[in-house]
Amino acid sequence: MSMIKKKKNTQSQLPSVTENARNFCGQKRTILVIAICVILALIAGVIIRGVNLAIEFDGGTILNYTYQGDLDTNKVKSETEKIVATPVTVRTGESLDSDDLQLNISFTTDEGFNADKQFALTEALNEAFPENSLELYDSKDVSPSSGREFLLKCLVAMILAAVLIIIYIAVRFKKIGGWSAGICSIFALCHDLVAALAASVICGFEFNANIVAVILTILGYSINNTIVIYDRIRENRTLYPKATLNELINLGCTQSLKRSLRTSITTIGTMVVVSVVVLISGYTSLLSFSVPLIFGLISGTYSSLFVAPVTWSWWMGKKAKKSKKA
Amino acid sequence: MKKTGKLTFFIVAAFILLFTASTVAGFDYFYGDNKTTVVKGVDDIRLGIDIQGGVDVTFAPADGYDATDEQLDAATEIIKARLGALGINDNELYSEYKSDRIIVRFPWQAGESEFDAQAAVKELGEMAQLTFRKGTDTETDEEGNIYPTGEIVLTGGDIESANYVNRPDSSGNYEWVVTLKFKESGKDAFTAATAELAGTGTPMSIWMDNTMISAPTVNEVITKDSAEINGHFDNESSKKLADQINSGALPFKMETTSFQTISSTMGKGSLDAILLAAYIAFAFIAVYMIILYRLPGFVAVLAIIGQIAGTLAAVTGWFGFMPGSTLTIPGIAGIILSVGMGVDANIITGERIKEEIRSGKTLDSAIKVAYKRAFSAILDGNITNVIIAVILMGAFGVPSSFFSKILNKTVFFMFGATTEGVVYSFGFTLLVGVICNFVFGVFAARLMVTSLSKFKAFRSRKLYGGVEK
């Protein structure tokens, strides 16, 4: 008895669907133009800077040695090239964690530079520079074929994830036209990935394992953001069975606006803290994780609130028009 | 439905705090000098080699040789034995038949400052020296290396194959034995040696490099081209010995297709930097949540502590039913992502409680309705993350892991195992973090907020972001 009374109570208190709702769908053109312009600008930036694939994906060899005294880098270069038989880049620098000097040798060979060859190279260098007491600090060698395989495997994993997510959304949001909603959420996700990847390229980071972690994180956040808004639209559909889709979208986005911004402040804030701490402490290898992620998260906030729902409204509008004509 | 009483808050909060304390501190005691670890704490977390430094290497047969499964098993045994001989006992070793790969990872061993990684890895991949010798005599050289001195009867090249079979002995009892088949080159030498050793009690020893792998006594003169080793084998030990003997006849050596050494100081510094950032970010989130959502915000902070503790507990192996995992830098990113999802779940409900209160509901029904309505969004968002986590664990897990077995036989059939275990670690912490999010961020938080709202002191609508009626 009391249950029924309560329900009636909430119904009577419902404000109208347009009350307090901002008109997101009315800004369709502005929203999509901004999104497309930003993407185009970022892609242009990527083309200008050029993608710098790290050896995880491209194959290659990097050897870091610590050394003492003075070292003639040109002589190191010629000695190494004698053994490696391809052009070699040699740099020197200072180690982060001690006062040791560091020698960095990098090159790419067709088949990779396996442990046997590395051992021989170290022997030869020690023979050529006995005073400098070279010692291996860290090293990385990936053969080009296994690098490409890793890249391909990452791509397949992401495509599989995208397909499964579309299916999941299609099933869970059947009430509001699931397939198109799922595909639009993946479209918004691509928008965010482009933003993060382009930011990474434009900042001059190379594509390494960190970028895989960035992509994965954005995959999770972006889809989650979009789903929270879809969920609100789905709920509004039950509350306002007579409202048009655009009205529902407008209301859902307005209701989710605060939550989206507040969640984004915590996640982006966390990544800003990580970036600052890493910059101050000098362990900058993590910057190629945190900085692209910040851009991806900013883009994710924009795309889940605007791009995904508005693209979806546009799609459903087209579909409605078509069925009317027919 | 069960009534949530005033007591519930204290029970749930105490549970979270006790759980967190036991996860962080662990539980161990000293009996004399022996430390017994009952529950592993954060100090016992196995850090990945990207943090503590070490070697990550993938071997494949040289010159693209297509090895059979037996040959790869034999090659794996060589590497296993050599790791032992080098004193590298803390290692991970996986082999994968499809792509003929063997993946080895090990951290720098404590106290090893003069360790030459390039030389060690070069040695791991080399062909094994298998010898059959008379007796088990050894000598020790100046550097303390022990090597065999018995007269060599056969070498690996004289052996056609070794196998392990389960067959009945003369009295009809089934037992595991290792059978050997010799090449022409080895047959006569073996016959002569068995003639000399039979009945003397002096064993014929079998060596892989400088490690004795078996020393059977010779019962009778063997004139055929085959022989049998028996004596208390089980399935596993007979297979191991057969693989080891086969390793001496491998027609290829193992080469590295990817080889990485990571300095132990670089990763440690990065870890310290991340931890510092995590503390600052947590403090910021805690203050932010409490200011924005007051009482539900405070509960959210407790829930997030529980969630982080739950994820760390899964990594340390706190839960007896599942083994722990290695924590890598992407693994920490996975924790950050799942904590973000946890914060988000609490923001969604916090906003909902405010909204329902402002729509004029009573406090009790506002809380009830808010948790109910917020749940579907939290569920769908988190399930998509579970999908991502499972795919990652399948695609980049070690060949023997559960998800990997399923996915690698279907979607990723054209790929071999990869060394990027770091990506697996991201999937692991994300999956566990999302599960903990349901337990703490949704279930425990609802219990705590509902329970607190029963107290007179906490009935003010202002505490939930509403306005006083």
Side-chain angles (χ1 to χ4, degrees):
Chain A
M1 182 64 196
S2 66
M3 276 299 282
I4 296 165
K5 215 173 181 182
K6 236 182 217 162
K7 214 166 200 172
K8 235 182 180 171
N9 200 19
T10 46
Q11 277 297 336
S12 65
Q13 282 166 5
L14 266 186
S16 96
V17 68
T18 45
E19 195 185 311
N20 298 327
R22 282 162 216 258
N23 190 359
F24 282 74
C25 294
Q27 309 295 322
K28 210 176 296 179
R29 198 156 289 162
T30 329
I31 288 168
L32 289 181
V33 164
I34 291 177
I36 289 167
C37 287
V38 170
I39 289 181
L40 286 181
L42 288 173
I43 291 175
V46 171
I47 292 169
I48 293 165
R49 296 277 309 210
V51 178
N52 185 6
L53 276 184
I55 64 167
E56 280 103 322
F57 299 120
D58 216 14
T61 311
I62 297 175
L63 300 169
N64 276 312
Y65 295 92
T66 53
Y67 69 96
Q68 255 107 55
D70 291 323
L71 200 59
D72 178 0
T73 49
N74 282 327
K75 206 175 156 216
V76 173
K77 189 170 152 72
S78 62
E79 283 295 324
T80 312
E81 278 173 353
K82 252 191 251 167
I83 293 164
V84 178
T86 59
V88 166
T89 317
V90 175
R91 278 180 302 155
T92 54
E94 214 165 288
S95 165
L96 192 63
D97 45 83
S98 63
D99 297 330
D100 286 341
L101 295 164
Q102 268 193 7
L103 171 70
N104 175 292
I105 303 177
S106 58
F107 51 88
T108 311
T109 48
D110 288 344
E111 285 146 6
F113 201 68
N114 63 39
D116 295 15
K117 294 178 187 164
Q118 286 184 34
F119 180 71
L121 176 64
T122 307
E123 297 262 278
L125 287 176
N126 267 320
E127 222 161 89
F129 307 97
E131 270 101 65
N132 299 108
S133 51
L134 289 175
E135 240 176 82
L136 189 72
Y137 178 77
D138 57 16
S139 67
K140 195 168 216 178
D141 168 64
V142 179
S143 72
S145 60
S146 45
R148 270 189 298 271
E149 194 195 287
F150 178 52
L151 186 64
L152 206 61
K153 198 171 180 180
C154 288
L155 284 177
V156 173
M158 275 181 259
I159 292 169
L160 177 66
V163 169
L164 288 181
I165 287 168
I166 291 178
I167 295 174
Y168 181 79
I169 293 181
V171 171
R172 290 283 297 166
F173 294 87
K174 215 158 88 197
K175 207 159 48 174
I176 55 169
W179 287 107
S180 48
I183 292 167
C184 289
S185 73
I186 298 293
F187 173 68
L189 168 67
C190 294
H191 176 274
D192 305 339
L193 290 179
V194 169
L197 295 179
S200 157
V201 171
I202 292 168
C203 293
F205 299 123
E206 58 172 15
F207 271 38
N208 57 18
N210 278 352
I211 209 75
V212 179
V214 170
I215 293 173
L216 301 171
T217 311
I218 289 176
L219 208 68
Y221 266 127
S222 175
I223 296 288
N224 177 52
N225 267 335
T226 311
I227 281 186
V228 169
I229 291 165
Y230 282 174
D231 174 75
R232 216 53 207 261
I233 299 172
R234 176 174 60 185
E235 188 187 320
N236 289 339
R237 169 53 82 205
T238 331
L239 295 176
Y240 303 96
K242 282 183 199 142
T244 66
L245 183 70
N246 279 0
E247 284 168 346
L248 295 177
I249 291 176
N250 286 339
L251 183 63
C253 289
T254 310
Q255 287 166 332
S256 309
L257 189 63
K258 224 182 205 172
R259 168 264 152 198
S260 273
L261 293 179
R262 289 184 166 175
T263 298
S264 299
I265 287 171
T266 61
T267 50
I268 295 169
T270 303
M271 280 305 124
V272 171
V273 170
V274 169
S275 306
V276 172
V277 169
V278 159
L279 256 183
I280 292 172
S281 67
Y283 289 93
T284 48
S285 65
L286 279 172
L287 276 183
S288 66
F289 173 73
S290 58
V291 173
L293 197 52
I294 290 174
F295 282 90
L297 291 173
I298 293 173
S299 158
T301 313
Y302 178 78
S303 76
S304 61
L305 269 176
F306 303 104
V307 178
V310 162
T311 323
W312 186 45
S313 129
W314 173 77
W315 177 327
M316 296 304 267
K318 275 258 155 115
K319 212 165 102 187
K321 250 186 214 162
K322 227 180 195 175
S323 61
K324 243 182 215 167
K325 265 183 198 165
Chain B
M1 166 143 176
K2 317 123 255 169
K3 263 264 194 281
T4 309
K6 286 182 181 175
L7 202 60
T8 313
F9 170 76
F10 295 103
I11 297 171
V12 176
F15 168 74
I16 290 178
L17 293 179
L18 275 178
F19 176 64
T20 308
S22 75
T23 303
V24 172
F27 183 68
D28 43 39
Y29 59 87
F30 286 88
Y31 185 79
D33 282 339
N34 295 328
K35 186 175 164 184
T36 310
T37 305
V38 181
V39 175
K40 286 184 177 169
V42 273
D43 291 341
D44 302 314
I45 285 182
R46 253 187 83 88
L47 296 174
I49 58 163
D50 60 338
I51 295 175
Q52 62 169 323
V55 174
D56 184 330
V57 53
T58 306
F59 291 99
D63 307 319
Y65 184 91
D66 188 11
T68 64
D69 291 0
E70 288 76 28
Q71 286 174 329
L72 199 72
D73 282 343
T76 310
E77 284 302 331
I78 301 180
I79 292 177
K80 221 182 256 176
R82 295 227 172 104
L83 284 168
L86 286 165
I88 304 169
N89 299 318
D90 182 11
N91 63 62
E92 297 170 53
L93 180 78
Y94 313 104
S95 58
E96 207 244 354
Y97 296 127
K98 211 169 47 206
S99 54
D100 286 344
R101 280 183 201 154
I102 299 174
I103 300 169
V104 183
R105 285 186 211 124
F106 55 88
W108 300 126
Q109 312 293 306
E112 280 266 18
S113 55
E114 292 296 302
F115 186 77
D116 185 345
Q118 287 173 331
V121 169
K122 176 173 177 280
E123 196 184 322
L124 288 181
E126 240 140 59
M127 279 188 242
Q129 287 296 320
L130 191 89
T131 50
F132 282 56
R133 292 167 187 267
K134 289 178 190 164
T136 56
D137 297 339
T138 57
E139 260 177 34
T140 309
D141 66 12
E142 311 94 64
E143 286 166 23
N145 297 319
I146 299 169
Y147 59 93
T149 54
E151 189 190 327
I152 296 178
V153 180
L154 299 176
T155 60
D158 297 322
I159 292 154
E160 179 79 45
S161 66
N163 259 308
Y164 61 109
V165 287
N166 193 6
R167 59 123 187 84
D169 63 8
S170 48
S171 51
N173 298 321
Y174 274 82
E175 62 172 351
W176 287 97
V177 297
V178 175
T179 60
L180 302 173
K181 206 164 160 16
F182 304 109
K183 289 183 183 157
E184 258 328 294
S185 60
K187 199 184 130 189
D188 293 340
F190 194 73
T191 307
T194 49
E196 188 189 324
L197 295 178
T200 61
T202 309
M204 166 112 67
S205 57
I206 308 172
W207 298 76
M208 184 197 277
D209 304 326
N210 294 331
T211 310
M212 188 165 75
I213 52 177
S214 181
T217 48
V218 182
N219 294 333
E220 54 183 35
V221 184
I222 293 165
T223 52
K224 298 174 292 181
D225 64 349
S226 61
E228 200 181 271
I229 306 171
N230 60 15
H232 310 298
F233 284 118
D234 56 18
N235 182 353
E236 217 169 282
S237 60
S238 60
K239 176 182 190 311
K240 184 177 171 193
L241 184 58
D243 285 340
Q244 285 176 330
I245 294 174
N246 279 329
S247 74
L250 281 186
F252 57 84
K253 64 175 287 200
M254 299 300 281
E255 259 179 9
T256 61
T257 58
S258 76
F259 172 33
Q260 192 180 0
T261 61
I262 301 145
S263 110
S264 56
T265 41
M266 194 68 198
K268 200 87 194 122
S270 313
L271 179 67
D272 291 342
I274 298 180
L275 285 181
L276 178 63
Y279 292 137
I280 296 173
F282 181 77
F284 154 71
I285 289 174
V287 171
Y288 183 77
M289 291 297 283
I290 292 174
I291 289 177
L292 277 184
Y293 301 111
R294 323 251 166 102
L295 188 128
F298 166 74
V299 166
V301 174
L302 276 181
I304 292 162
I305 291 175
Q307 190 198 355
I308 297 171
T311 314
L312 289 179
V315 173
T316 57
W318 193 93
F319 302 107
F321 58 85
M322 56 187 275
S325 171
T326 318
L327 188 65
T328 63
I329 288 176
I332 294 171
I335 297 181
I336 294 177
L337 172 57
S338 63
V339 169
M341 300 290 295
V343 172
D344 183 47
N346 281 293
I347 288 183
I348 292 175
T349 19
E351 285 295 329
R352 259 306 161 92
I353 294 177
K354 269 190 192 177
E355 215 177 286
E356 301 297 340
I357 284 183
R358 282 177 189 167
S359 81
K361 288 199 181 66
T362 65
L363 184 61
D364 291 336
S365 80
I367 290 173
K368 207 169 148 194
V369 169
Y371 272 102
K372 210 173 120 201
R373 291 197 173 157
F375 184 71
S376 66
I378 297 169
L379 177 76
D380 288 337
N382 280 278
I383 294 283
T384 48
N385 275 295
V386 168
I387 294 176
I388 294 167
V390 167
I391 290 176
L392 293 180
M393 291 174 74
F396 299 102
V398 297
S400 57
S401 67
F402 175 70
F403 293 122
S404 176
K405 273 186 188 152
I406 301 172
L407 279 185
N408 273 321
K409 290 221 168 82
T410 51
V411 187
F412 296 99
F413 63 89
M414 68 277 222
F415 298 105
T418 43
T419 56
E420 295 298 330
V422 290
V423 181
Y424 173 84
S425 174
F426 180 91
F428 180 86
T429 51
L430 179 60
L431 180 64
V432 175
V434 166
I435 295 170
C436 291
N437 186 16
F438 281 115
V439 176
F440 293 100
V442 179
F443 181 65
R446 190 184 67 196
L447 285 181
M448 286 192 283
V449 171
T450 315
S451 166
L452 281 179
S453 70
K454 305 277 194 261
F455 287 88
K456 225 177 192 158
F458 300 128
R459 296 215 44 98
S460 158
R461 297 165 78 87
K462 266 190 188 158
L463 281 175
Y464 301 84
V467 278
E468 213 55 60
K469 254 194 205 170

